[in-house]
Amino acid sequence: MLQPIVPELIILGTALIVLLLDLFITEKNFLGYLSLFGVIVALFFSLSPVTPFGSFFSSMLIVDRFTIFFDLLFLLAASITILLSLHYLTIEENVHGEYYTLLLLATLGMMLMVKAADLVIVFLGIETLSLSIYILAGYLRTEAKSNESAMKYFLLGAFSTAFLLYGIALIYGATGSTNLSAIATYIKETNLLTNPLLLVSMGLILIGFGFKVSMVPFHMWTPDVYEGAPTSITAFMAVGVKAAAFSSFLRVFLSSFPELRPTWVELLWVLSVLTMTVGNVIAISQDNIKRMLAYSSIAHAGYLMVGMIAGGELGISGMLYYLLAYTLMNLGAFGVVIAYGTKTEENVLIKDYAGLGFRYPLLGFCMSIFMFSLAGIPPLSGFVAKFYIFSSAIKEGYIWLTIIGVMNSLISVYYYLRITVLMYMREPEKEVVLSLSNPALIAALVVTTFFTIQMGVFPNAYMELARASVMMGR
Amino acid sequence: MNILSTITFLPIIGVILLIFLNKDNPRLLKGVTFIITIIDFLLSLPLFLNFRSTSDMQFVERIPWIEQYGITYHVGIDGISLFLVLLTTLLSMISVLACWQDIQKKVKEFMICLLFLETGMIGVFVSLDLFLFYCFWEVMLIPMYLLIGIWGSPNRRIYAAVKFFLYTMFGSLLMLVAILYLYFFNGSQTGTYTFDLLELYKLTIPYNIQVWLFLAFALAFAIKVPMFPFHTWLPDAHTEAPTVGSVLLAAVLLKMGTYGFLRFNLPLFPSASIDFIPLISILALIGIIYGALVAMVQKDVKRLVAFSSVSHLGFVMLGLFTFTVQGISGGILQMLNHGFSTGALFLIVGMLYERRHTRLIDEFGGLSKVMPIYATFFMIVTLSSIGLPGLNGFVGEFLILLGTFKVNVTYAVFAATGVILSAVYMLWMFQRVMFGEVTKEENRKLKDLSLREIIVLIPIILFIIQIGVYPKPYLSRMEPTVKNLIAHVYNKADVRR
């Protein structure tokens, strides 16, 4: 009976065990490895063939290939974040068990979001996720920036969730249900397409998701929150939260509002162009690498929206592949940022990267791979992802959107390339001595680098996976 | 294993070898790289010797890669790409020897970049699948960018490298949009979705769509050639790059632009190509004359040679867009010739720079008294660049002018003035650098060419003379392909508007 949510229960169980053991254990890193173990067990159960498909708990939850893909993505993001955290927290000398608990609870929230067949569960998932992240953003208690980041995220997040809730309430008012497919059926049967209540609620829900996804103009929180939060949480936010938000966004809009497609596609077109352009253009002037990566993630949200606008099997599977590739390369990039930090110096200014390429060649190589992949240069996964999404746009006839997309790609090349310029073409200004011996860190960097290359050169299997996962509800 | 794939990917094997070698042994690193490039060159010789006189693709290999997208690993060469592949392998081999003394710091990374570059370059010329072509086209940017940015001259190398990268990428991104559009258009017309070039050749595209696609591809290639007015990245990239970077940039990378026009624009968009002849020809002519005039007033020898490239490649473009056998054959031959002459020019300038660490013409004078062997080689290469009969440049230019004259006498007249102008700037530069009195004291102590430098230049000089005296082996191999291309263009262009 509980079978559909076994992975979630495992994550919850691990979270609680970690919280409990935190009271007794002094070697806190053990808790990190324990949570990693829990994640892997959940991953195993999530992919196992006994996972049933269908809707459960009186149509509150749905399990299909879409959810399995995203579970895989979230658990992957969580595991790599845990690996990075094991190194990062040791460096920051700030290891507490609650960190891992909160991380696991956030993952739980994400998995719930994608399994939601009902708007209430969507809300539940978002809140579980968000509350955990609000706290984690402020984890470095003694740093003002971390406090500021948590406060900003909390205030703006709560505000936007309120929008979401209001939208859900209005939908209920308009259609009499919060169940995603029931809403769609109601809209179709009563031909409700121009009901103002429905349109307003759709707009409000869009705002709620837009905030989480860092869509322009709801993106203002992203640079500050990403800069202030502990870098491992920034990494998690940039990939996990974004992927979860997109998964839910997709499910809600494709399941409930397919009839309203012409309306929201037009809106998304404008928002996508704004998002891409603002993200890329402002990234150029950044001098802090965490902020630069924050704006870059805004831009990538814009590219992802292109896939949503194009729609169809190609568009959505393109988004899935993109999210997978993006997760890996972004985690890798943040991983290098984490690796480059020491106990005394954070080294998060872009100019600190001068000379990295020759002082630590392997680290420099990894960073170059991530930068080139983010810029969309073949034969890396970032290129294949953009190729996939832009081909879906062309197929549906969105030529101008594609041209804007590729021009934005070009703009982004400048700031990604700048990192490699500094790493290889400038002399280092200060001595940076790193300790790169933590096996967790090395494992994280190796996995992300390897798959960024492999997914790009041999993308077949991943594309098939994405294609198969697009079937919602089947 | 297929010979083309071996030639393309052998340098990657070299990279893997180099990774495991100790970076504190530069001689070993350079030696291994040199051996790899020699093997690659030797492997490419059978391509020339066993080349059959047909217009089909030869040495073809076709492996499905990303099947659900119709992307295949499809490689092959014909009369056009054969010479470009040979040029690449030969010049890569010579480059390794040329930079032996020049590169002392970060040798391992330099050699890795060089080998990656070689793979990228050969890959571009042998790809017969649009996706594969695009991958190689972009991949090739990174090593060149690193070569210019890390080992270039200290003052403006980063600016030049970034400008090169962004400018080229701008064109290629628009080409990507066109490639995707072509893919879906083909799918909607024929039902099969494929990126395979040979399949796409069979497509008949409505005229107005052809025009846009032609322009998108043409922009990418025009930036690469470089055609006026998209040439502004070239002088900076060439001047700031290390010697070997300039050699490969001029000799090989620029040819990718002209090759692209032949391989993609002409056969895929025949009606548009014919209608664009005036525009392209006029831009080519402007390139010829403008390039020559600007070259004349340069104070820096390398920048002068860079602008001379603009001028020479204007000739190639003019020849290609005559759509005559002579014009196109002349164009292809001139691609080869320019690779040799300008490659050699950059090597020669580099040798001077190694000795005096300056490239300003005013700093030299009367060097022929001090370095007679160098002067001889320099003279031969200069004359080749000008197009003296008996040397390679003349054959190419003559054929191009012949083709142009057939089509449009006015163009030919203007182009011929370009020949005169090239003689002016080259000979005047030569006179100021090599002849006259030795005006600067430092120049008296300059050493003549070392054995290594002579070995670097000899193969090129030999080819310069051989092609000039007996170009038949080259022209005969080109002919079937060129004839086929022209026939294809005219046949398909009958279906227009």
Side-chain angles (χ1 to χ4, degrees):
Chain A
M1 193 227 14
L2 282 175
Q3 247 185 327
I5 54 166
V6 163
E8 280 80 0
L9 290 176
I10 295 177
I11 296 285
L12 180 62
T14 318
L16 293 174
I17 293 177
V18 166
L19 190 60
L20 197 61
L21 287 179
D22 184 41
L23 292 170
F24 307 111
I25 294 191
T26 44
E27 174 50 54
K28 306 290 182 187
N29 280 328
F30 170 73
L31 296 169
Y33 284 106
L34 180 62
S35 28
L36 183 63
F37 178 70
V39 167
I40 294 177
V41 172
L43 189 61
F44 174 70
F45 274 97
S46 176
L47 296 173
S48 79
V50 296
T51 311
F53 285 171
S55 68
F56 303 94
F57 298 106
S58 12
S59 304
M60 284 273 173
L61 287 186
I62 185 169
V63 177
D64 54 17
R65 291 203 173 83
F66 191 74
T67 65
I68 294 190
F69 180 88
F70 275 101
D71 277 353
L72 165 68
L73 195 68
F74 301 146
L75 293 169
L76 181 68
S79 48
I80 298 184
T81 309
I82 293 175
L83 286 172
L84 291 176
S85 310
L86 283 165
H87 172 90
Y88 184 70
L89 296 181
T90 319
I91 295 284
E92 292 287 319
E93 290 174 348
N94 192 348
V95 197
H96 297 285
E98 293 92 349
Y99 176 97
Y100 295 107
T101 305
L102 288 168
L103 204 56
L104 290 170
L105 288 176
T107 317
L108 174 65
M110 302 198 296
M111 290 163 76
L112 212 54
M113 273 172 80
V114 73
K115 287 200 171 63
D118 190 298
L119 284 171
V120 172
I121 305 291
V122 171
F123 176 72
L124 204 64
I126 286 190
E127 282 297 278
T128 313
L129 168 64
S130 305
L131 287 172
S132 315
I133 302 283
Y134 298 153
I135 305 173
L136 284 171
Y139 182 73
L140 300 173
R141 273 192 316 158
T142 52
E143 288 190 27
K145 271 201 171 159
S146 191
N147 290 333
E148 178 190 343
S149 132
M151 201 57 178
K152 267 191 184 148
Y153 196 21
F154 171 60
L155 286 174
L156 291 172
F159 201 57
S160 75
T161 315
F163 272 94
L164 184 71
L165 207 50
Y166 195 6
I168 295 177
L170 288 180
I171 283 262
Y172 182 70
T175 61
S177 168
T178 52
N179 182 294
L180 294 179
S181 34
I183 296 173
T185 323
Y186 189 88
I187 295 177
K188 200 157 76 155
E189 280 172 7
T190 59
N191 213 354
L192 203 55
L193 299 175
T194 52
N195 182 336
L197 207 59
L198 190 62
L199 293 174
V200 168
S201 67
M202 190 179 78
L204 291 172
I205 294 181
L206 182 70
I207 293 179
F209 279 121
F211 169 86
K212 269 282 175 291
V213 158
S214 307
M215 212 188 275
V216 169
F218 318 112
H219 67 289
M220 303 292 231
W221 60 275
T222 310
D224 293 328
V225 174
Y226 278 31
E227 185 188 356
T231 316
S232 49
I233 295 303
T234 311
F236 190 64
M237 283 196 281
V239 309
V241 176
K242 202 180 286 278
F246 264 113
S247 72
S248 208
F249 193 10
L250 272 176
R251 196 190 280 289
V252 169
F253 272 70
L254 294 180
S255 303
S256 302
F257 303 132
E259 307 292 321
L260 293 167
R261 191 153 218 280
T263 323
W264 53 259
V265 159
E266 276 185 25
L267 190 56
L268 276 186
W269 197 103
V270 176
L271 291 177
S272 162
V273 170
L274 272 176
T275 310
M276 286 192 265
T277 316
V278 165
N280 280 316
V281 170
I282 303 188
I284 297 180
S285 58
Q286 297 307 311
D287 56 11
N288 178 316
I289 196 159
K290 284 165 83 170
R291 281 184 90 85
M292 183 196 101
L293 287 172
Y295 278 107
S296 115
S297 76
I298 295 176
H300 282 283
Y303 302 133
L304 280 161
M305 284 158 71
V306 170
M308 197 161 165
I309 294 169
E313 188 187 293
L314 206 57
I316 309 297
S317 59
M319 283 177 78
L320 296 186
Y321 180 94
Y322 199 107
L323 281 168
L324 185 58
Y326 170 78
T327 299
L328 287 166
M329 53 187 175
N330 230 22
L331 279 173
F334 277 110
V336 175
V337 174
I338 290 176
Y340 204 48
T342 62
K343 285 192 188 6
T344 45
E345 292 260 1
E346 245 197 328
N347 294 330
V348 284
L349 293 180
I350 289 184
K351 62 177 201 237
D352 294 333
Y353 281 78
L356 170 61
F358 292 107
R359 274 233 66 208
Y360 292 98
L362 286 176
L363 196 61
F365 171 72
C366 290
M367 192 54 153
S368 309
I369 294 287
F370 299 130
M371 288 296 118
F372 289 136
S373 186
L374 284 164
I377 295 178
L380 299 170
S381 60
F383 166 70
V384 178
K386 285 201 175 129
F387 179 83
Y388 208 153
I389 286 220
F390 288 139
S391 57
S392 73
I394 295 221
K395 180 172 189 197
E396 303 298 328
Y398 291 98
I399 311 278
W400 275 110
L401 188 61
T402 311
I403 293 182
I404 294 175
V406 297
M407 286 299 113
N408 269 295
S409 261
L410 182 67
I411 300 176
S412 76
V413 169
Y414 174 72
Y415 59 82
Y416 290 126
L417 226 59
R418 187 173 50 183
I419 305 290
T420 56
V421 166
L422 280 165
M423 287 199 298
Y424 290 106
M425 301 175 194
R426 292 223 192 270
E427 295 306 310
E429 285 171 24
K430 56 185 201 180
E431 264 300 300
V432 175
V433 179
L434 306 176
S435 72
L436 296 173
S437 53
N438 192 328
L441 179 68
I442 297 176
L445 287 176
V446 165
V447 165
T448 46
T449 316
F450 175 74
F451 280 105
T452 302
I453 303 176
Q454 200 260 348
M455 273 180 80
V457 181
F458 299 109
N460 242 343
Y462 304 97
M463 284 182 170
E464 271 309 312
L465 179 63
R467 281 261 208 103
S469 310
V470 171
M471 318 288 162
M472 282 195 222
R474 260 158 286 168
Chain B
M1 190 174 144
N2 177 292
I3 189 172
L4 281 181
S5 304
T6 319
I7 299 177
T8 314
F9 290 110
L10 183 66
I12 300 285
I13 311 273
V15 170
I16 298 178
L17 270 176
L18 283 179
I19 291 180
F20 291 112
L21 292 178
N22 190 344
K23 66 178 176 194
D24 293 318
N25 192 344
R27 276 176 129 213
L28 181 61
L29 295 166
K30 292 174 188 172
V32 168
T33 317
F34 190 44
I35 292 176
I36 296 270
T37 50
I38 292 181
I39 298 177
D40 220 28
F41 174 64
L42 292 175
L43 282 175
S44 62
L45 286 176
L47 293 176
F48 183 82
L49 299 169
N50 298 338
F51 196 78
R52 295 188 316 273
S53 284
T54 74
S55 58
D56 299 329
M57 291 291 165
Q58 303 183 32
F59 305 104
V60 173
E61 182 175 11
R62 195 160 192 271
I63 308 175
W65 181 16
I66 305 178
E67 282 168 75
Q68 63 262 55
Y69 273 92
I71 299 176
T72 49
Y73 174 79
H74 189 181
V75 296
I77 50 171
D78 64 358
I80 304 171
S81 38
L82 168 70
F83 298 106
L84 296 169
V85 172
L86 286 169
L87 187 68
T88 312
T89 51
L90 175 66
L91 281 169
S92 300
M93 180 177 75
I94 292 180
S95 300
V96 178
L97 198 53
C99 68
W100 207 275
Q101 289 287 81
D102 201 14
I103 304 295
Q104 296 298 341
K105 292 184 298 183
K106 305 170 186 161
V107 177
K108 184 170 172 178
E109 287 81 1
F110 186 89
M111 293 301 154
I112 291 179
C113 277
L114 210 55
L115 288 176
F116 252 121
L117 187 61
E118 189 175 0
T119 296
M121 297 192 289
I122 300 177
V124 165
F125 292 128
V126 302
S127 296
L128 292 178
D129 177 289
L130 279 176
F131 184 85
L132 186 66
F133 169 79
Y134 187 80
C135 279
F136 276 119
W137 178 272
E138 292 284 291
V139 159
M140 180 255 307
L141 287 182
I142 297 179
M144 184 48 89
Y145 152 79
L146 290 172
L147 280 174
I148 300 177
I150 305 179
W151 292 277
S153 67
N155 36 339
R156 297 221 306 172
R157 61 196 160 121
I158 299 179
Y159 168 79
V162 177
K163 189 168 171 183
F164 160 76
F165 198 100
L166 289 178
Y167 213 145
T168 315
M169 190 140 188
F170 167 65
S172 13
L173 283 171
L174 285 175
M175 182 170 73
L176 179 64
V177 179
I179 290 177
L180 287 172
Y181 188 88
L182 199 54
Y183 169 76
F184 285 111
F185 184 80
N186 180 52
S188 66
Q189 296 286 89
T190 65
T192 40
Y193 284 88
T194 176
F195 280 97
D196 191 294
L197 198 55
L198 298 180
E199 290 297 319
L200 292 172
Y201 278 172
K202 300 179 193 158
L203 201 56
T204 314
I205 308 176
Y207 182 74
N208 40 339
I209 300 182
Q210 267 197 38
V211 171
W212 288 111
L213 292 177
F214 180 93
L215 284 173
F217 273 88
L219 183 65
F221 299 135
I223 292 177
K224 205 75 179 157
V225 168
M227 284 178 79
F228 183 92
F230 305 109
H231 65 288
T232 49
W233 61 272
L234 185 75
D236 289 318
H238 264 135
T239 332
E240 307 299 325
T243 307
V244 159
S246 301
V247 169
L248 289 173
L249 187 56
V252 184
L253 261 71
L254 300 187
K255 308 305 173 303
M256 292 179 184
T258 48
Y259 167 77
F261 274 108
L262 274 185
R263 176 67 82 226
F264 301 102
N265 281 57
L266 258 59
L268 285 172
F269 318 119
S271 316
S273 303
I274 292 184
D275 280 0
F276 271 106
I277 289 179
L279 176 66
I280 305 271
S281 303
I282 292 180
L283 283 178
L285 278 171
I286 297 179
I288 296 176
I289 299 184
Y290 172 79
L293 290 174
V294 177
M296 243 188 262
V297 299
Q298 292 306 315
K299 296 191 167 57
D300 178 328
V301 187
K302 225 172 170 187
R303 228 174 150 82
L304 186 150
V305 180
F307 277 105
S308 84
S309 282
V310 176
S311 186
H312 282 116
L313 285 165
F315 258 104
V316 174
M317 286 307 298
L318 190 64
L320 293 184
F321 270 80
T322 59
F323 291 11
T324 59
V325 180
Q326 294 87 351
I328 298 186
S329 300
I332 301 174
L333 193 64
Q334 198 64 345
M335 282 194 231
L336 193 59
N337 292 338
H338 177 264
F340 285 130
S341 349
T342 310
L345 274 174
F346 277 115
L347 284 170
I348 284 176
V349 170
M351 288 170 193
L352 208 54
Y353 182 77
E354 264 175 60
R355 285 159 172 75
R356 284 270 281 125
H357 291 288
T358 174
R359 291 186 301 258
L360 297 175
I361 297 180
D362 291 335
E363 290 288 320
F364 301 111
L367 293 182
S368 57
K369 294 184 171 58
V370 184
M371 304 196 294
I373 307 179
Y374 178 81
T376 318
F377 281 147
F378 198 171
M379 185 88 243
I380 298 178
V381 175
T382 306
L383 291 173
S384 151
S385 186
I386 296 174
L388 189 78
L391 297 178
N392 59 352
F394 174 70
V395 185
E397 276 178 9
F398 181 76
L399 283 172
I400 291 175
L401 286 172
L402 195 60
T404 316
F405 200 87
K406 270 171 96 166
V407 170
N408 187 321
V409 179
T410 328
Y411 292 164
V413 170
F414 276 105
T417 63
V419 181
I420 304 175
L421 290 172
S422 82
V424 171
Y425 64 76
M426 286 303 289
L427 291 176
W428 188 39
M429 180 268 291
F430 192 84
Q431 190 249 342
R432 283 179 291 165
V433 171
M434 304 301 289
F435 290 149
E437 288 306 315
V438 181
T439 44
K440 301 257 186 300
E441 271 316 302
E442 308 85 42
N443 293 339
R444 284 196 198 275
K445 295 176 260 153
L446 291 178
K447 277 203 257 177
D448 209 346
L449 294 184
S450 67
L451 182 62
R452 173 188 66 89
E453 289 169 330
I454 295 179
I455 298 179
V456 162
L457 288 175
I458 289 267
I460 304 184
I461 304 281
L462 287 176
F463 271 111
I464 286 180
I465 301 177
Q466 194 267 323
I467 299 178
V469 171
Y470 191 59
K472 181 160 177 236
Y474 307 93
L475 293 172
S476 63
R477 282 172 173 76
M478 278 180 219
E479 207 180 309
T481 312
V482 173
K483 284 197 168 136
N484 184 46
L485 177 63
I486 298 177
H488 171 98
V489 170
Y490 279 116
N491 281 341
K492 291 227 114 181
D494 280 337
V495 185
R496 29 189 301 188
R497 295 183 211 271

